[in-house]
Amino acid sequence: MQTIEERISNATIQGVKALYGADIDTKLVQLGATRKEFEGQLTLVVFPFLKASHKGPEQTAQDLGNYLRENLSDVVADFNVVKGFLNLVIADKYWVELLQEISSDSQFGFLPVTENSPLVMIEYSSPNTNKPLHLGHVRNNLLGSALARIVEANGNKVVKTNIVNDRGIHICKSMLAWLRYGNGETPESSGKKGDHLIGDYYVAFDKHYKEECNQLEQQYISEGMDVEAAKEKAKQEAPLIKEAHAMLVKWEQGDEEVRSLWRKMNEWVYAGFDETYKMMGVSFDKIYYESDTYLEGKEKVLEGLDKGLFYRREDGSVWADLTKEGLDEKLLLRSDGTSVYMTQDIGTAKLRFQDFPIDKMIYVVGNEQNYHFTVLSILLDKLGFKWGKDLVHFSYGMVELPNGKMKSREGTVVDADDLIASMIADARQTSDEAGKFTDMSDEEKAEVARIVGLGALKYFILKVDARKNMLFNPAESIDFNGNTGPFIQYTYARIASIMRKAAEQGINYENIDCSNIQLSEKEISLIQKLNAFTAAVRQAGIDYSPSGIANYCYELTKEFNQFYHDYSILGADNEQIKQFRLVLAQTVAKVLKSGMGLLGIEMPERM
């Protein structure tokens, strides 16, 4: 079906031909929303047609206004001319029909995914198995998950993928600390989630390591070494770090005792991660593990070395010279043959390309990795991955709290599970205090608190432009007024309540005839805003922007609340207007549910 803009554009081209005998290009037809101070909904700029009309702007606008009113009467009811601008008053009948179309389209705003749709792979989460997920991971997961839904809503096949950093010195630190100080503690014996348990031992390692460093530092200073040199030597010579490195070597050599402990502790962590992912409403189609990909990357780098893409230095290390691309030289394999992050990413890319016919690859990773992905794109392209050159690094800013940054080694991280639990508790308390929980069972209160608490968290994070650093303020996010998740959810619940009352009163608003109804400006404005959902979804797909959807949902909610403040729905003057307004309200609820659904936010029927 043609949009209103397309219909007016086509009729304008025909009008210029009929009135002035001239053919004009579609690009010359400029349509926009009419300014608030003038009557009408759409404005046509007539200056591009003056060459064809040989008349002044006002007369040209008058000619075209008359032509459109006569030849497109089901769309254009009236017009007015302001200098070279033709303000078009769109017929009420058109808005009613448009509303009915939006209302009856279950997939309104979304493009279908077909067999021939491009395949987009989106990587997000990327946790380490030595600690639980924290606030930074929450932003990453919510952005990745929302992005996947938006990309799919734009007609693409999507594969959601995760790469788990399950090997390296940081993992060995947690393992060694558990062996030293754990006394066989397990998630079952401690009652802790596995990821929390392992995270505690990562913090324990750092605590004991610092104590050893301090003692050695004092010893070296007393032996005459200067402070900086003593500090550096202590970091290298501390027994704990030496033991952790020895454990890593054993792991790399496939030592069964070390590998067995590594598998057991990782399983505890994965079980913990799964609980957090489930609570956040986040999922993956395929999970990759760096312990599987790092050797694949090494193999691919050596293949590139044989082809002359890379070079080997005297110490045996392998490098990529990217000076011709305006960058520097990049280490790919250390002199001892071990891989770096870049090598692992190349290995992961190789496995993914074997597993899926990828057309586009999107990495959701923080902006501190911008340079890494510039280099990765060049290297993958050199190695022959067809999507390498066009890979997308969806770079996002850091999340900070009102009281500052987070550090995992010191145990000052805002834990994802604690954050989610506190958001749900805050939602429950705020709803209780606002008197929104009357006549609800405890079970229903708990479910609404979960939906509202998570909605507040997700919306507050996703409404911010992803590229910007953000300050997360839990108290601000749970407000029932303003640009928040609960404000939008409460409006949805209010509409659901109106629909229940209409059902109780036996009002039928299916297949109604509203062809002769007269609409208010507020009603027309609301239908226009509903119609804009398709454009919002398309733009969010082009910009990779969940915040665009969040802001659309907020604008639609505000528009509805202004209408609801001025006009009664169930108390309307006559039955036809009542039925029309019920369709209007129901369609607003439907589009809000679709929009918030793209952000992974549930909508409560009662609140």
Side-chain angles (χ1 to χ4, degrees), residues 175-398:
M175 288 163 62
L176 182 58
W178 184 82
L179 281 174
R180 281 282 189 88
Y181 320 114
N183 300 314
E185 188 180 25
T186 67
E188 290 75 28
S189 71
S190 65
K192 287 179 186 172
K193 277 176 83 231
D195 51 337
H196 287 244
L197 181 70
I198 302 307
D200 289 347
Y201 285 104
Y202 184 60
V203 172
F205 177 93
D206 194 58
K207 183 181 143 219
H208 290 285
Y209 172 54
K210 276 184 176 161
E211 286 168 6
E212 288 185 353
C213 287
N214 288 336
Q215 285 170 7
L216 283 173
E217 199 181 315
Q218 296 311 314
Q219 181 192 319
Y220 296 147
I221 290 169
S222 68
E223 290 168 2
M225 202 178 272
D226 74 72
V227 174
E228 277 309 306
K231 194 182 287 264
E232 280 311 303
K233 189 177 179 187
K235 281 181 187 174
Q236 308 295 325
E237 295 298 322
L240 262 178
I241 200 71
K242 282 185 160 181
E243 208 174 325
H245 277 292
M247 184 182 266
L248 179 59
V249 171
K250 282 185 176 179
W251 184 92
E252 298 236 342
Q253 290 166 345
D255 180 279
E256 189 42 43
E257 197 179 331
V258 172
R259 288 278 176 135
S260 172
L261 174 63
W262 169 75
R263 283 191 292 271
K264 176 169 77 174
M265 291 176 72
N266 275 353
E267 286 306 320
W268 293 346
V269 173
Y270 299 144
F273 283 172
D274 286 346
E275 275 185 56
T276 311
Y277 287 140
K278 190 177 176 187
M279 186 51 111
M280 277 196 285
V282 166
S283 64
F284 307 95
D285 302 309
K286 177 90 178 175
I287 297 180
Y288 292 88
Y289 300 91
E290 285 193 5
S291 55
D292 296 328
T293 69
Y294 82 108
L295 290 174
E296 299 281 353
K298 193 172 171 180
E299 191 183 298
K300 203 75 189 158
V301 167
L302 292 173
E303 194 183 296
L305 184 66
D306 288 342
K307 289 178 182 172
L309 299 172
F310 311 131
Y311 75 96
R312 195 186 283 280
R313 288 190 182 172
E314 282 179 17
D315 65 356
S317 57
V318 177
W319 294 72
D321 183 357
L322 303 177
T323 49
K324 282 182 184 166
E325 283 84 1
L327 303 171
D328 58 7
E329 297 190 346
K330 187 70 189 171
L331 174 67
L332 299 179
L333 287 174
R334 296 189 189 96
S335 55
D336 61 3
T338 55
S339 59
V340 292
Y341 274 119
M342 190 65 72
T343 328
Q344 291 163 19
D345 275 345
I346 291 168
T348 309
K350 178 192 167 186
L351 290 181
R352 285 171 174 164
F353 201 67
Q354 284 173 1
D355 293 342
F356 300 96
I358 302 167
D359 294 298
K360 187 171 277 296
M361 181 75 215
I362 302 173
Y363 294 87
V364 180
V365 182
N367 57 14
E368 76 279 10
Q369 296 291 333
N370 285 356
Y371 180 76
H372 175 88
F373 282 97
T374 303
V375 173
L376 181 64
S377 177
I378 293 166
L379 294 178
L380 290 178
D381 185 51
K382 282 179 186 285
L383 289 165
F385 293 96
K386 69 170 184 176
W387 45 264
K389 194 188 290 180
D390 301 321
L391 74 78
V392 176
H393 173 208
F394 181 86
S395 169
Y396 63 89
M398 296 296 100

Side-chain angles (χ1 to χ4, degrees), residues 7-8 11-12 15 44 63-76 86 88:
R7 289 189 66 188
I8 292 170
T12 301
L44 179 68
D63 291 349
L64 281 168
N66 285 322
Y67 179 88
L68 291 173
R69 186 167 56 186
E70 285 167 28
N71 293 276
L72 201 64
S73 57
D74 61 328
V75 174
V76 177
L86 173 60
L88 302 172

Side-chain angles (χ1 to χ4, degrees), residues 420-432:
I420 290 167
S422 72
M423 291 297 295
I424 293 169
D426 286 355
R428 177 126 193 193
Q429 187 184 342
T430 307
S431 298
D432 263 331

Side-chain angles (χ1 to χ4, degrees), residues 43 67 74 76 225 291 320 388 413 450 469 487 496 504 522 572 580:
T43 295
Y67 179 88
D74 61 328
V76 177
M225 202 178 272
S291 55
V413 164
R450 181 190 69 78
N469 287 350
F487 171 64
E504 284 162 15
K522 283 262 185 349
F580 166 78

Side-chain angles (χ1 to χ4, degrees), residues 403-458:
N403 57 2
K405 288 188 178 178
M406 309 178 287
K407 293 191 179 107
S408 32
R409 280 192 307 279
E410 293 166 20
T412 59
V413 164
V414 177
D415 179 82
D417 296 314
D418 293 346
L419 176 65
I420 290 167
S422 72
M423 291 297 295
I424 293 169
D426 286 355
R428 177 126 193 193
Q429 187 184 342
T430 307
S431 298
D432 263 331
E433 287 168 0
K436 297 191 188 298
F437 272 167
T438 49
D439 307 326
M440 277 192 203
S441 66
D442 282 347
E443 203 175 89
E444 199 177 357
K445 284 179 188 175
E447 179 62 358
V448 170
R450 181 190 69 78
I451 290 172
V452 173
L454 280 165
L457 171 66
K458 291 178 180 184

